[in-house]
Amino acid sequence: QAQLVESGGGLVQAGGSLRLSCAASGGTFSRHAMGWFRQAPGKEREFVAVIDTTGDYTYLADSVKGRFTLFRDNAKNTVYLQMNSLKPEDTAIYYCAARSYFSRSNSPVTYTYWGQGTQVTVSS
């Protein structure tokens, strides 16, 4: 049973940066595509970004393209979400998730494993 643990969230001013990490254990990390989602209060969980098993391919939501990047280190069983030029509307709980395939279609229900989430708050 794979376990995912996010870290790196916090409070940052608009225009600032944060790097989120998602550490995986208990499973075959390198065989899973890894996604990031976020959920703001009163809103549905939304897709942010996904990376394939090797790190060669990524796909990001339009709302974060050009500001967020995604990469992974399979030797460390960790995936990272680098968030730059943060905006107040990026405020949410950020979750990492894993599934066995990479796709540009990223409904949350297609992901098998989830972390507990980390809070990101961007002040104006």
Side-chain angles (χ1 to χ4, degrees):
Q1 183 77 8
Q3 291 187 326
L4 306 176
V5 179
E6 302 94 335
S7 62
L11 174 64
V12 63
Q13 289 188 331
S17 298
L18 283 174
R19 176 178 291 185
L20 305 184
S21 299
C22 174
S25 62
T28 310
F29 174 77
S30 62
R31 295 182 182 177
H32 288 80
M34 300 298 296
W36 284 94
F37 291 78
R38 65 187 181 186
Q39 189 165 18
K43 295 188 177 181
E44 292 186 352
R45 191 166 298 190
E46 66 170 352
F47 166 75
V48 175
V50 62
I51 188 167
D52 76 329
T53 56
T54 63
D56 290 340
Y57 297 97
T58 61
Y59 178 67
L60 288 85
D62 288 344
S63 58
V64 304
K65 280 181 182 176
R67 300 189 297 123
F68 291 12
T69 56
L70 182 64
F71 57 100
R72 66 191 293 163
D73 185 341
N74 285 344
K76 295 182 178 180
N77 289 345
T78 303
V79 62
Y80 304 93
L81 183 68
Q82 178 66 42
M83 307 186 295
N84 299 328
S85 302
L86 283 161
K87 304 175 181 180
E89 50 264 44
D90 294 319
T91 295
I93 298 174
Y94 282 70
Y95 299 89
C96 71
R99 68 182 182 188
S100 61
Y101 62 95
F102 174 82
S103 170
R104 292 191 172 195
S105 176
N106 290 279
S107 169
V109 299
T110 65
Y111 281 78
T112 307
Y113 304 106
W114 289 86
Q116 299 283 41
T118 185
Q119 176 71 47
V120 171
T121 304
V122 184
S123 63
S124 58

